[in-house]
Amino acid sequence: KILVTGALGQIGSELTMYLRKIYGSENVIASDLRKVEGSKVLEAGPFESINVLDSQQIAGAVTKHNVNSIVHLAALLSATGEANPAMAWNVNMGGLFNVLEIAREKGCSVFTPSSIAAFGPDTPKVKTPQDTLQRPTTMYGVTKVAGELLCDYYHKKFGVDTRGVRFPGLISYETLPGGGTTDYAVHIYYDALQKGKYASFIAEGTLMDMMYMPDALHAIASLIEADPSKLKHRNAFNIASMSFAPEHIAAEIKKHIPEFEMSYDVDPIRQAIADSWPDSLDDSAAREEWGWKPEYDLDSMTVDMLAKLREKLNLK
Ligand code: VAH
């Protein structure tokens, strides 16, 4: 049985449904701080209200449902984390520590994502290596590096089966991201369809790694199922699919919506965060050790995003 924390968030709301298709609805228990009325996740299988800072609530759900695998997604993202650094540390590290302690006691495996945010301004920016300098300058990035090290520690010291990937910016149409720096690449599609224009809070020329959610879900399921004897790394694998800047995604959208107008209203805080991150990642370790391979590129993602959002927003 799998317990997903943060199951109502941007990744969780789709990953929970994806895992239920693979393992069966009753075998994937969704959890989050509180219910979100109308969420598909709530209709399609078991749900537990869990505050990941309360280890009793996590332990209770693990025991009640006989959980042997925890997918831990509950966390604050980069921009929110910079606005509330203490809360970001408490939730991101406190939650992960509780999950790892329970996994140690009850013999559960743990998947939890890291991020390109785990790298900083003095990390090689182009084709960032799997093993390289990690000195992030955001609290979110500090919690991601500390989280990687804590997961590797629990694996080496206690034999807990911990695995993770460093996600790039994730683009999806089901659930909006909650306070990330890469969120511009999601909002641009909504605004292109609803307003015919978008004012980007990230500057022209700012390259960042991005990924379409279907590829992200496939990566998580593949790594969870990977043969452990083939894993030279565990926390956490670089994975990549596309690297682009705001003008690239705007040009792609204009191919489908010729009247679309792009403008820039740069947010210095999120721009500084974006500038500290890599331009592109080297994901050869993930490709070699567990067969990682993305399906979508900017072209095919844009076709799918616009089609799915037209449906979701009841546009023609
Ligand atoms: C954020 N979407 O912007 C997240 C992610 C790589 C970016 O960590 O904070």
Side-chain angles (χ1 to χ4, degrees):
K1 296 275 187 98
I2 300 173
L3 173 67
V4 181
T5 71
L8 302 183
Q10 184 198 13
I11 301 175
S13 62
E14 296 199 54
L15 180 65
T16 302
M17 306 305 279
Y18 186 85
L19 293 175
R20 283 176 171 165
K21 283 200 196 86
I22 300 171
Y23 300 104
S25 292
E26 289 316 302
N27 294 319
V28 182
I29 296 89
S31 74
D32 212 307
L33 205 47
R34 62 183 70 80
K35 289 190 175 184
V36 171
E37 285 321 310
S39 158
K40 283 181 215 161
V41 167
L42 298 179
E43 289 144 26
F47 177 84
E48 296 283 352
S49 287
I50 292 179
N51 178 337
V52 292
L53 294 183
D54 181 336
S55 54
Q56 289 311 313
Q57 290 182 19
I58 307 171
V62 167
T63 305
K64 174 180 169 185
H65 295 279
N66 199 15
V67 168
N68 63 356
S69 171
I70 302 173
V71 174
H72 180 55
L73 304 174
L76 272 64
L77 293 183
S78 57
T80 311
E82 277 315 284
N84 312 279
M87 187 176 167
W89 175 265
N90 288 330
V91 172
N92 294 8
M93 297 315 299
L96 178 59
F97 180 76
N98 288 342
V99 164
L100 288 169
E101 270 296 281
I102 287 152
R104 178 178 63 79
E105 286 160 20
K106 309 222 178 205
C108 303
S109 62
V110 177
F111 172 91
T112 194
S114 179
S115 160
I116 59 173
F119 298 113
D122 39 14
T123 302
K125 273 192 175 303
V126 177
K127 288 288 170 217
T128 301
Q130 173 65 43
D131 302 306
T132 186
L133 192 61
Q134 293 179 260
R135 295 189 62 76
T137 50
T138 63
M139 176 55 93
Y140 174 72
V142 167
T143 70
K144 286 297 156 185
V145 175
E148 290 186 11
L149 296 173
L150 198 58
C151 288
D152 274 347
Y153 177 83
Y154 268 75
H155 176 62
K156 287 195 179 65
K157 178 92 175 179
F158 303 118
V160 178
D161 181 352
T162 58
R163 307 177 188 194
V165 296
R166 290 172 186 145
F167 273 133
L170 297 182
I171 295 163
S172 64
Y173 53 82
E174 284 291 350
T175 308
L176 285 169
T181 299
T182 57
D183 299 1
Y184 87 88
V186 178
H187 299 156
I188 190 169
Y189 286 109
Y190 281 83
D191 282 11
L193 287 169
Q194 293 179 307
K195 300 178 189 161
K197 60 183 179 181
Y198 179 65
S200 173
F201 59 73
I202 294 294
E204 200 163 2
T206 309
L207 284 168
M208 283 191 274
D209 254 28
M210 299 281 186
M211 185 176 294
Y212 198 27
M213 185 61 81
D215 277 333
L217 302 178
H218 181 62
I220 295 172
S222 305
L223 180 53
I224 286 176
E225 290 296 337
D227 173 357
S229 70
K230 299 240 179 16
L231 300 181
K232 298 190 198 76
H233 297 83
R234 280 179 168 268
N235 302 285
F237 285 93
N238 286 358
I239 54 171
S241 68
M242 52 186 116
S243 164
F244 58 71
E247 65 272 23
H248 302 136
I249 191 168
E252 204 56 43
I253 289 173
K254 275 179 88 70
K255 287 182 191 169
H256 304 275
I257 308 175
E259 67 281 6
F260 171 68
E261 282 169 31
M262 178 71 152
S263 64
Y264 294 88
D265 177 13
V266 175
D267 165 14
I269 294 173
R270 285 179 287 186
Q271 185 60 39
I273 294 174
D275 288 342
S276 75
W277 290 349
D279 293 351
S280 61
L281 293 194
D282 168 1
D283 61 359
S284 49
R287 290 169 188 263
E288 282 153 25
E289 297 175 38
W290 49 277
W292 157 247
K293 188 176 173 308
E295 300 294 318
Y296 285 87
D297 60 15
L298 182 53
D299 180 337
S300 52
M301 172 176 73
T302 300
V303 169
D304 197 60
M305 264 302 270
L306 290 174
K308 295 289 193 336
L309 279 178
R310 278 197 170 98
E311 213 177 296
K312 175 178 173 178
L313 303 170
N314 296 320
L315 301 173
K316 60 202 178 304

